Amino acid sequence: MTNKVDINIKPKRGVSLYSYAGEYGVTMSLEDMFAEMHDMGARGLEILANSHIEGYPNPSEEWLENWDRLIEKYDIVPVEYGHWVDSRLYQGRHLTAEESYEMLVRDFKLANRLGFTVLRTKLGVINNDLTPVENWREFIKMALPMAEKYNVRMCPEIHAPTLLKSMMVDDYVEFIEETGTKYFGLNIDFGVFTTQTIPASEWGPNEFIMPESDHSPVKDIIPLLPYVYCCHAKFVKMSDDFEEMTIPYEKIINTLIEHNWDGYMVSEYEGPKKDVPGYAVEQVRKHHVMMKRILGE
Amino acid sequence: MLEKPCIQSRGFKNVERNGQVIGFQVNIRSLYYRGLWLSQLRPATVTVDGETFSGDQITWTINDVTYTQAEMAELGDVHWGLLKPATLTVAKEGGLESGSHEIEVNYTYSCSYFPPVADTVLGGTQKRTLILV
């Protein structure tokens, strides 16, 4: 008998390649980003399908073979595949449920081929409160059997200014409970816990600054955890002593540990100077120092 | 690897057909963090040394296929990825003289996960001085 907590039941570290968006194709290739993850011991990978799959949605055999080689060489675990239902794909009308379904299934197949089991499914919205398109229940329900067939879980991202206690999250949870599905869940972006902002002067003139909004207390994630298959470990600024300056990370990660959540937290750098070569790379490294310390790795 | 600005210096040249110079080309890369379906793009305008071109004066070549801007509005299954620049071909009889030119490219795109108002905002004007050799 031991009282020791099972060290295997812990959140795991990963990286969303979105973090390196300012460098991709200019100073970093896909392989460079994988090498960077390997170097930090961050195994869990999030890609954005439209960004990182060359030739998307029909990558060449050569690209696919290279993908398999890179995953093995750098010991990467494909975790989350970011994709979109681009509901305003055509000017003047929204996609029908059938069109949305087809868009989803195309990505299920590709995600499955690349080894991903969680999808960050971004739905189109209809207003400033980010209310999803009216027919979302219809096409998500249509897609559930195919999600099961391809073993992928669709997870809309819960992102500020949405609160964890909100009609939107309630609607998603109600859908999950009604259908009893394991193939639809949630991705919580830690930006929902933002308690501070950095001075506006830290942002460059052409950078998008998230408007300030209300935040959720960390404990609000607890009842949702059974449905959370991946988290966006969003961050805005790491200090030189390895603390994130806007989001209560220690509390979040400790809450996840206490509740035996063992999914991946994928670092998502969304701070200033993404386009300054080397800046985001250093920020992500600092973020992983912080996560390792809190996780006790 | 691509050059950092949207407007690329490589690929800037005149275009000939049947021995006549009928226009010029400029390559652009997407500065958005994800690729776009062609129907998400709103028509571009290109301004060179103060003269503006639009509509059917401009074609886009993406993955070696050339589209009119009107055609693109219907192409929801053709994708412009991040690693390959698009070539904008601008109809301008006689083309451009060798030397420096002020280039401006403007286009926007829809982004369904942002509020609808964003569709007319994302993207915008890019400027660069390019040298035609």
Side-chain angles (χ1 to χ4, degrees):
Chain A
M1 270 299 273
T2 169
N3 290 325
K4 267 185 151 175
V5 178
D6 183 343
I7 53 159
N8 294 316
I9 304 290
K10 252 188 197 179
K12 299 183 280 273
R13 290 185 295 124
V15 174
S16 170
L17 297 190
Y18 170 78
S19 299
Y20 306 125
E23 309 249 14
Y24 177 54
V26 179
T27 51
M28 291 178 97
S29 65
L30 185 66
E31 179 154 5
D32 291 329
M33 297 189 289
F34 279 29
E36 184 61 24
M37 286 178 61
H38 180 76
D39 217 38
M40 296 186 292
R43 297 188 66 211
L45 170 70
E46 180 190 72
I47 63 161
L48 303 177
N50 303 48
S51 313
H52 301 115
I53 301 171
E54 214 172 328
Y56 175 80
N58 305 113
S60 65
E61 268 312 308
E62 191 188 354
W63 188 88
L64 291 168
E65 280 168 26
N66 189 50
W67 171 268
D68 297 337
R69 178 186 72 82
L70 294 177
I71 292 289
E72 197 181 327
K73 178 175 174 187
Y74 295 103
D75 193 23
I76 299 289
V77 180
V79 171
E80 186 168 69
Y81 174 104
H83 69 147
W84 289 262
V85 179
D86 284 297
S87 52
R88 300 198 302 274
L89 183 61
Y90 301 105
Q91 197 166 9
R93 70 175 184 90
H94 283 169
L95 290 189
T96 65
E98 188 66 36
E99 287 170 325
S100 305
Y101 164 83
E102 282 166 11
M103 205 169 217
L104 287 169
V105 173
R106 178 172 60 196
D107 280 326
F108 293 173
K109 294 176 184 172
L110 199 42
N112 174 272
R113 164 62 185 85
L114 301 183
F116 291 93
T117 52
V118 180
L119 306 183
R120 192 242 31 208
T121 301
K122 244 351 200 183
L123 301 177
V125 307
I126 56 172
N127 58 26
N128 292 346
D129 295 330
L130 309 182
T131 305
V133 284
E134 278 151 9
N135 59 359
W136 73 266
R137 285 181 183 80
E138 194 184 338
F139 62 77
I140 295 291
K141 211 167 194 171
M142 281 165 73
L144 291 176
M146 292 300 265
E148 182 169 2
K149 179 176 171 190
Y150 289 101
N151 189 31
V152 287
R153 297 166 172 195
M154 294 174 275
C155 298
E157 179 186 6
I158 308 305
H159 191 289
T162 302
L163 296 172
L164 297 183
K165 280 190 176 161
S166 62
M167 167 93 112
M168 187 196 300
V169 176
D170 289 350
D171 282 352
Y172 287 146
V173 168
E174 187 187 288
F175 178 88
I176 295 164
E177 289 177 348
E178 263 177 30
T179 55
T181 185
K182 296 274 182 230
Y183 297 94
F184 187 79
L186 302 171
N187 167 323
I188 307 297
D189 180 291
F190 290 169
V192 301
F193 304 121
T194 302
T195 52
Q196 316 263 333
T197 52
I198 57 170
S201 58
E202 299 214 16
W203 295 86
N206 296 318
E207 289 178 324
F208 175 75
I209 308 176
M210 268 293 285
E212 274 191 61
S213 59
D214 204 4
H215 68 273
S216 297
V218 174
K219 65 177 171 47
D220 286 0
I221 198 174
I222 297 167
L224 301 175
L225 287 175
Y227 315 121
V228 176
Y229 298 124
C230 191
C231 284
H232 268 170
K234 157 75 59 59
F235 69 108
V236 174
K237 180 156 187 175
M238 294 299 303
S239 68
D240 289 338
D241 52 0
F242 306 105
E243 295 202 7
E244 210 289 328
M245 300 175 77
T246 67
I247 293 166
Y249 259 94
E250 196 162 349
K251 201 167 183 180
I252 297 167
I253 295 179
N254 283 331
T255 299
L256 297 177
I257 294 171
E258 278 161 27
H259 292 272
N260 300 318
W261 189 81
D262 64 351
Y264 277 89
M265 303 183 293
V266 296
S267 288
E268 194 194 43
Y269 178 58
E270 206 156 38
K273 300 183 195 164
K274 261 183 121 106
D275 60 340
V276 175
Y279 192 86
V281 170
E282 185 181 292
Q283 283 285 308
V284 176
R285 285 186 163 252
K286 287 179 175 173
H287 193 234
H288 280 260
V289 170
M290 176 191 70
M291 291 202 293
K292 275 184 85 167
R293 287 179 180 176
I294 302 173
L295 290 166
E297 279 182 29
Chain B
M1 292 279 178
L2 301 166
E3 295 169 278
K4 196 162 191 67
C6 166
I7 299 173
Q8 305 280 297
S9 62
R10 288 190 291 272
F12 182 46
K13 60 182 180 194
N14 282 323
V15 184
E16 271 185 33
R17 190 187 294 154
N18 305 325
Q20 302 283 318
V21 176
I22 56 161
F24 67 94
Q25 288 185 335
V26 62
N27 286 343
I28 59 170
R29 76 173 183 106
S30 176
L31 296 185
Y32 191 30
Y33 70 86
R34 64 170 180 143
L36 289 161
W37 304 104
L38 300 195
S39 58
Q40 289 176 271
L41 287 158
R42 299 293 172 259
T45 61
V46 176
T47 302
V48 57
D49 305 324
E51 187 182 0
T52 300
F53 299 84
S54 62
D56 60 7
Q57 294 175 301
I58 299 170
T59 60
W60 293 59
T61 304
I62 289 166
N63 299 324
D64 306 321
V65 182
T66 299
Y67 307 95
T68 66
Q69 301 209 86
E71 283 169 343
M72 288 166 66
E74 302 303 318
L75 295 175
D77 58 353
V78 181
H79 196 253
W80 179 28
L82 297 181
L83 297 182
K84 250 190 149 178
T87 300
L88 301 181
T89 301
V90 180
K92 179 176 166 57
E93 215 175 297
L96 300 172
E97 284 181 16
S98 154
S100 293
H101 297 278
E102 301 299 321
I103 306 285
E104 279 182 38
V105 176
N106 180 288
Y107 67 93
T108 59
Y109 44 84
S110 77
C111 180
S112 307
Y113 69 89
F114 281 156
V117 66
D119 291 1
T120 53
V121 176
L122 292 165
T125 302
Q126 302 292 329
K127 297 182 188 184
R128 194 172 178 191
T129 305
L130 292 186
I131 296 171
L132 190 93
V133 177

mmCIF file of all heavy atoms in Angstrom, chain A residues 4-35:
data_model
loop_
_atom_site.group_PDB
_atom_site.id
_atom_site.type_symbol
_atom_site.label_atom_id
_atom_site.label_comp_id
_atom_site.label_asym_id
_atom_site.label_seq_id
_atom_site.Cartn_x
_atom_site.Cartn_y
_atom_site.Cartn_z
ATOM 1 N N LYS A 4 1.111 7.316 -2.101
ATOM 2 C CA LYS A 4 1.586 8.178 -3.187
ATOM 3 C C LYS A 4 0.537 8.289 -4.292
ATOM 4 O O LYS A 4 -0.103 7.305 -4.654
ATOM 5 C CB LYS A 4 2.859 7.580 -3.788
ATOM 6 C CG LYS A 4 4.134 8.116 -3.168
ATOM 7 C CD LYS A 4 5.273 7.534 -3.944
ATOM 8 C CE LYS A 4 6.492 8.387 -3.978
ATOM 9 N NZ LYS A 4 7.580 7.667 -4.651
ATOM 10 N N VAL A 5 0.404 9.491 -4.764
ATOM 11 C CA VAL A 5 -0.504 9.695 -5.898
ATOM 12 C C VAL A 5 0.111 9.003 -7.113
ATOM 13 O O VAL A 5 1.327 9.029 -7.289
ATOM 14 C CB VAL A 5 -0.662 11.210 -6.174
ATOM 15 C CG1 VAL A 5 -1.553 11.438 -7.377
ATOM 16 C CG2 VAL A 5 -1.217 11.903 -4.939
ATOM 17 N N ASP A 6 -0.719 8.378 -7.886
ATOM 18 C CA ASP A 6 -0.213 7.733 -9.104
ATOM 19 C C ASP A 6 0.345 8.813 -10.034
ATOM 20 O O ASP A 6 -0.391 9.661 -10.525
ATOM 21 C CB ASP A 6 -1.359 6.980 -9.795
ATOM 22 C CG ASP A 6 -0.874 6.222 -11.018
ATOM 23 O OD1 ASP A 6 0.237 6.534 -11.499
ATOM 24 O OD2 ASP A 6 -1.606 5.344 -11.480
ATOM 25 N N ILE A 7 1.652 8.751 -10.244
ATOM 26 C CA ILE A 7 2.269 9.825 -11.027
ATOM 27 C C ILE A 7 1.879 9.779 -12.502
ATOM 28 O O ILE A 7 2.138 10.698 -13.245
ATOM 29 C CB ILE A 7 3.814 9.836 -10.910
ATOM 30 C CG1 ILE A 7 4.379 8.479 -11.249
ATOM 31 C CG2 ILE A 7 4.252 10.326 -9.554
ATOM 32 C CD1 ILE A 7 5.831 8.534 -11.653
ATOM 33 N N ASN A 8 1.260 8.697 -12.897
ATOM 34 C CA ASN A 8 0.861 8.646 -14.307
ATOM 35 C C ASN A 8 -0.432 9.421 -14.576
ATOM 36 O O ASN A 8 -0.738 9.760 -15.694
ATOM 37 C CB ASN A 8 0.682 7.195 -14.752
ATOM 38 C CG ASN A 8 2.012 6.473 -14.721
ATOM 39 O OD1 ASN A 8 3.015 7.010 -15.166
ATOM 40 N ND2 ASN A 8 2.023 5.279 -14.153
ATOM 41 N N ILE A 9 -1.218 9.639 -13.513
ATOM 42 C CA ILE A 9 -2.467 10.369 -13.680
ATOM 43 C C ILE A 9 -2.167 11.849 -13.498
ATOM 44 O O ILE A 9 -2.232 12.386 -12.405
ATOM 45 C CB ILE A 9 -3.528 9.905 -12.656
ATOM 46 C CG1 ILE A 9 -3.762 8.412 -12.756
ATOM 47 C CG2 ILE A 9 -4.828 10.686 -12.828
ATOM 48 C CD1 ILE A 9 -4.475 7.960 -14.003
ATOM 49 N N LYS A 10 -1.832 12.480 -14.576
ATOM 50 C CA LYS A 10 -1.452 13.886 -14.526
ATOM 51 C C LYS A 10 -1.693 14.496 -15.889
ATOM 52 O O LYS A 10 -1.600 13.797 -16.891
ATOM 53 C CB LYS A 10 0.058 13.980 -14.254
ATOM 54 C CG LYS A 10 0.407 14.452 -12.880
ATOM 55 C CD LYS A 10 1.875 14.696 -12.783
ATOM 56 C CE LYS A 10 2.285 14.753 -11.327
ATOM 57 N NZ LYS A 10 3.694 14.966 -11.182
ATOM 58 N N PRO A 11 -1.942 15.784 -15.907
ATOM 59 C CA PRO A 11 -2.002 16.407 -17.225
ATOM 60 C C PRO A 11 -0.654 16.258 -17.928
ATOM 61 O O PRO A 11 0.384 16.136 -17.272
ATOM 62 C CB PRO A 11 -2.275 17.882 -16.912
ATOM 63 C CG PRO A 11 -2.718 17.922 -15.488
ATOM 64 C CD PRO A 11 -2.132 16.732 -14.809
ATOM 65 N N LYS A 12 -0.695 16.242 -19.213
ATOM 66 C CA LYS A 12 0.532 16.060 -20.004
ATOM 67 C C LYS A 12 0.791 17.320 -20.834
ATOM 68 O O LYS A 12 -0.119 18.074 -21.136
ATOM 69 C CB LYS A 12 0.369 14.830 -20.897
ATOM 70 C CG LYS A 12 0.155 13.544 -20.088
ATOM 71 C CD LYS A 12 0.063 12.311 -20.959
ATOM 72 C CE LYS A 12 -1.272 12.081 -21.602
ATOM 73 N NZ LYS A 12 -2.239 11.336 -20.779
ATOM 74 N N ARG A 13 2.056 17.474 -21.227
ATOM 75 C CA ARG A 13 2.456 18.704 -21.922
ATOM 76 C C ARG A 13 2.480 18.533 -23.439
ATOM 77 O O ARG A 13 2.926 17.513 -23.958
ATOM 78 C CB ARG A 13 3.867 19.129 -21.469
ATOM 79 C CG ARG A 13 3.938 19.630 -20.038
ATOM 80 C CD ARG A 13 5.332 20.137 -19.703
ATOM 81 N NE ARG A 13 6.340 19.080 -19.721
ATOM 82 C CZ ARG A 13 7.432 19.113 -20.466
ATOM 83 N NH1 ARG A 13 7.676 20.141 -21.264
ATOM 84 N NH2 ARG A 13 8.292 18.111 -20.414
ATOM 85 N N GLY A 14 2.022 19.551 -24.099
ATOM 86 C CA GLY A 14 2.085 19.557 -25.563
ATOM 87 C C GLY A 14 2.199 20.979 -26.075
ATOM 88 O O GLY A 14 2.296 21.927 -25.298
ATOM 89 N N VAL A 15 2.184 21.097 -27.386
ATOM 90 C CA VAL A 15 2.301 22.413 -28.016
ATOM 91 C C VAL A 15 1.326 22.495 -29.186
ATOM 92 O O VAL A 15 1.217 21.550 -29.979
ATOM 93 C CB VAL A 15 3.731 22.665 -28.553
ATOM 94 C CG1 VAL A 15 3.803 23.975 -29.328
ATOM 95 C CG2 VAL A 15 4.756 22.671 -27.419
ATOM 96 N N SER A 16 0.626 23.617 -29.267
ATOM 97 C CA SER A 16 -0.113 23.916 -30.486
ATOM 98 C C SER A 16 0.831 24.654 -31.418
ATOM 99 O O SER A 16 1.419 25.682 -31.036
ATOM 100 C CB SER A 16 -1.328 24.803 -30.202
ATOM 101 O OG SER A 16 -1.848 25.235 -31.454
ATOM 102 N N LEU A 17 0.956 24.163 -32.621
ATOM 103 C CA LEU A 17 1.870 24.823 -33.567
ATOM 104 C C LEU A 17 1.394 26.226 -33.937
ATOM 105 O O LEU A 17 2.149 26.996 -34.529
ATOM 106 C CB LEU A 17 2.052 23.971 -34.828
ATOM 107 C CG LEU A 17 2.696 22.595 -34.615
ATOM 108 C CD1 LEU A 17 3.044 21.971 -35.971
ATOM 109 C CD2 LEU A 17 3.932 22.660 -33.729
ATOM 110 N N TYR A 18 0.169 26.551 -33.550
ATOM 111 C CA TYR A 18 -0.290 27.932 -33.721
ATOM 112 C C TYR A 18 0.698 28.896 -33.063
ATOM 113 O O TYR A 18 0.891 30.032 -33.532
ATOM 114 C CB TYR A 18 -1.688 28.100 -33.097
ATOM 115 C CG TYR A 18 -2.125 29.551 -33.025
ATOM 116 C CD1 TYR A 18 -2.588 30.206 -34.154
ATOM 117 C CD2 TYR A 18 -2.031 30.268 -31.823
ATOM 118 C CE1 TYR A 18 -2.959 31.549 -34.096
ATOM 119 C CE2 TYR A 18 -2.402 31.603 -31.759
ATOM 120 C CZ TYR A 18 -2.862 32.241 -32.894
ATOM 121 O OH TYR A 18 -3.224 33.561 -32.835
ATOM 122 N N SER A 19 1.311 28.447 -31.965
ATOM 123 C CA SER A 19 2.252 29.300 -31.226
ATOM 124 C C SER A 19 3.338 29.870 -32.133
ATOM 125 O O SER A 19 3.843 30.953 -31.893
ATOM 126 C CB SER A 19 2.919 28.496 -30.104
ATOM 127 O OG SER A 19 1.956 28.026 -29.200
ATOM 128 N N TYR A 20 3.716 29.091 -33.131
ATOM 129 C CA TYR A 20 4.825 29.501 -33.999
ATOM 130 C C TYR A 20 4.331 30.119 -35.314
ATOM 131 O O TYR A 20 5.075 30.173 -36.298
ATOM 132 C CB TYR A 20 5.724 28.295 -34.315
ATOM 133 C CG TYR A 20 6.222 27.559 -33.085
ATOM 134 C CD1 TYR A 20 5.998 26.190 -32.933
ATOM 135 C CD2 TYR A 20 6.937 28.216 -32.089
ATOM 136 C CE1 TYR A 20 6.471 25.502 -31.813
ATOM 137 C CE2 TYR A 20 7.409 27.544 -30.966
ATOM 138 C CZ TYR A 20 7.166 26.185 -30.841
ATOM 139 O OH TYR A 20 7.635 25.520 -29.738
ATOM 140 N N ALA A 21 3.081 30.599 -35.314
ATOM 141 C CA ALA A 21 2.476 31.064 -36.573
ATOM 142 C C ALA A 21 3.291 32.152 -37.267
ATOM 143 O O ALA A 21 3.338 32.220 -38.493
ATOM 144 C CB ALA A 21 1.052 31.563 -36.321
ATOM 145 N N GLY A 22 3.937 32.999 -36.480
ATOM 146 C CA GLY A 22 4.711 34.078 -37.102
ATOM 147 C C GLY A 22 5.989 33.600 -37.762
ATOM 148 O O GLY A 22 6.621 34.333 -38.526
ATOM 149 N N GLU A 23 6.399 32.381 -37.462
ATOM 150 C CA GLU A 23 7.668 31.854 -37.969
ATOM 151 C C GLU A 23 7.474 30.815 -39.084
ATOM 152 O O GLU A 23 8.374 30.583 -39.887
ATOM 153 C CB GLU A 23 8.434 31.158 -36.829
ATOM 154 C CG GLU A 23 8.572 32.010 -35.589
ATOM 155 C CD GLU A 23 9.996 32.469 -35.339
ATOM 156 O OE1 GLU A 23 10.839 32.352 -36.255
ATOM 157 O OE2 GLU A 23 10.249 32.946 -34.232
ATOM 158 N N TYR A 24 6.299 30.202 -39.073
ATOM 159 C CA TYR A 24 6.068 29.065 -39.972
ATOM 160 C C TYR A 24 6.192 29.483 -41.439
ATOM 161 O O TYR A 24 5.570 30.449 -41.876
ATOM 162 C CB TYR A 24 4.677 28.498 -39.695
ATOM 163 C CG TYR A 24 4.252 27.367 -40.589
ATOM 164 C CD1 TYR A 24 5.038 26.236 -40.737
ATOM 165 C CD2 TYR A 24 3.051 27.425 -41.275
ATOM 166 C CE1 TYR A 24 4.640 25.192 -41.549
ATOM 167 C CE2 TYR A 24 2.634 26.394 -42.092
ATOM 168 C CZ TYR A 24 3.433 25.272 -42.222
ATOM 169 O OH TYR A 24 3.032 24.246 -43.025
ATOM 170 N N GLY A 25 6.997 28.737 -42.156
ATOM 171 C CA GLY A 25 7.167 29.007 -43.585
ATOM 172 C C GLY A 25 8.176 30.103 -43.873
ATOM 173 O O GLY A 25 8.553 30.320 -45.018
ATOM 174 N N VAL A 26 8.592 30.836 -42.827
ATOM 175 C CA VAL A 26 9.519 31.948 -43.007
ATOM 176 C C VAL A 26 10.869 31.621 -42.358
ATOM 177 O O VAL A 26 11.912 31.721 -42.987
ATOM 178 C CB VAL A 26 8.931 33.245 -42.399
ATOM 179 C CG1 VAL A 26 9.904 34.412 -42.569
ATOM 180 C CG2 VAL A 26 7.595 33.575 -43.048
ATOM 181 N N THR A 27 10.787 31.235 -41.074
ATOM 182 C CA THR A 27 12.031 30.833 -40.391
ATOM 183 C C THR A 27 11.941 29.420 -39.833
ATOM 184 O O THR A 27 12.932 28.872 -39.371
ATOM 185 C CB THR A 27 12.340 31.789 -39.217
ATOM 186 O OG1 THR A 27 11.170 31.891 -38.411
ATOM 187 C CG2 THR A 27 12.721 33.175 -39.712
ATOM 188 N N MET A 28 10.747 28.820 -39.817
ATOM 189 C CA MET A 28 10.602 27.457 -39.290
ATOM 190 C C MET A 28 9.755 26.598 -40.228
ATOM 191 O O MET A 28 8.686 27.034 -40.670
ATOM 192 C CB MET A 28 9.917 27.462 -37.917
ATOM 193 C CG MET A 28 10.739 28.053 -36.801
ATOM 194 S SD MET A 28 9.795 28.073 -35.232
ATOM 195 C CE MET A 28 10.409 26.578 -34.445
ATOM 196 N N SER A 29 10.225 25.395 -40.458
ATOM 197 C CA SER A 29 9.450 24.405 -41.210
ATOM 198 C C SER A 29 8.695 23.529 -40.216
ATOM 199 O O SER A 29 8.909 23.622 -38.997
ATOM 200 C CB SER A 29 10.388 23.547 -42.045
ATOM 201 O OG SER A 29 11.211 22.792 -41.163
ATOM 202 N N LEU A 30 7.852 22.660 -40.729
ATOM 203 C CA LEU A 30 7.166 21.690 -39.871
ATOM 204 C C LEU A 30 8.194 20.903 -39.057
ATOM 205 O O LEU A 30 8.041 20.710 -37.843
ATOM 206 C CB LEU A 30 6.322 20.743 -40.732
ATOM 207 C CG LEU A 30 5.442 19.747 -39.990
ATOM 208 C CD1 LEU A 30 4.332 20.470 -39.212
ATOM 209 C CD2 LEU A 30 4.808 18.744 -40.965
ATOM 210 N N GLU A 31 9.267 20.479 -39.704
ATOM 211 C CA GLU A 31 10.273 19.684 -38.990
ATOM 212 C C GLU A 31 10.943 20.503 -37.887
ATOM 213 O O GLU A 31 11.206 19.990 -36.794
ATOM 214 C CB GLU A 31 11.317 19.117 -39.963
ATOM 215 C CG GLU A 31 12.386 18.308 -39.212
ATOM 216 C CD GLU A 31 13.076 17.235 -40.033
ATOM 217 O OE1 GLU A 31 12.814 17.139 -41.245
ATOM 218 O OE2 GLU A 31 13.876 16.482 -39.443
ATOM 219 N N ASP A 32 11.202 21.768 -38.145
ATOM 220 C CA ASP A 32 11.797 22.622 -37.101
ATOM 221 C C ASP A 32 10.897 22.674 -35.864
ATOM 222 O O ASP A 32 11.370 22.647 -34.733
ATOM 223 C CB ASP A 32 11.991 24.056 -37.613
ATOM 224 C CG ASP A 32 13.070 24.156 -38.678
ATOM 225 O OD1 ASP A 32 14.027 23.370 -38.637
ATOM 226 O OD2 ASP A 32 12.935 25.028 -39.566
ATOM 227 N N MET A 33 9.590 22.763 -36.101
ATOM 228 C CA MET A 33 8.659 22.876 -34.974
ATOM 229 C C MET A 33 8.615 21.567 -34.190
ATOM 230 O O MET A 33 8.569 21.565 -32.962
ATOM 231 C CB MET A 33 7.278 23.286 -35.475
ATOM 232 C CG MET A 33 7.293 24.680 -36.134
ATOM 233 S SD MET A 33 5.681 25.376 -36.546
ATOM 234 C CE MET A 33 5.167 24.375 -37.914
ATOM 235 N N PHE A 34 8.658 20.440 -34.899
ATOM 236 C CA PHE A 34 8.700 19.141 -34.220
ATOM 237 C C PHE A 34 9.990 19.013 -33.399
ATOM 238 O O PHE A 34 9.983 18.509 -32.276
ATOM 239 C CB PHE A 34 8.639 18.002 -35.249
ATOM 240 C CG PHE A 34 7.264 17.669 -35.750
ATOM 241 C CD1 PHE A 34 6.259 18.628 -35.811
ATOM 242 C CD2 PHE A 34 6.965 16.384 -36.168
ATOM 243 C CE1 PHE A 34 4.986 18.308 -36.286
ATOM 244 C CE2 PHE A 34 5.694 16.047 -36.642
ATOM 245 C CZ PHE A 34 4.715 17.006 -36.704
ATOM 246 N N ALA A 35 11.101 19.463 -33.988
ATOM 247 C CA ALA A 35 12.391 19.364 -33.291
ATOM 248 C C ALA A 35 12.370 20.200 -32.014
ATOM 249 O O ALA A 35 12.908 19.805 -30.978
ATOM 250 C CB ALA A 35 13.515 19.830 -34.216
#
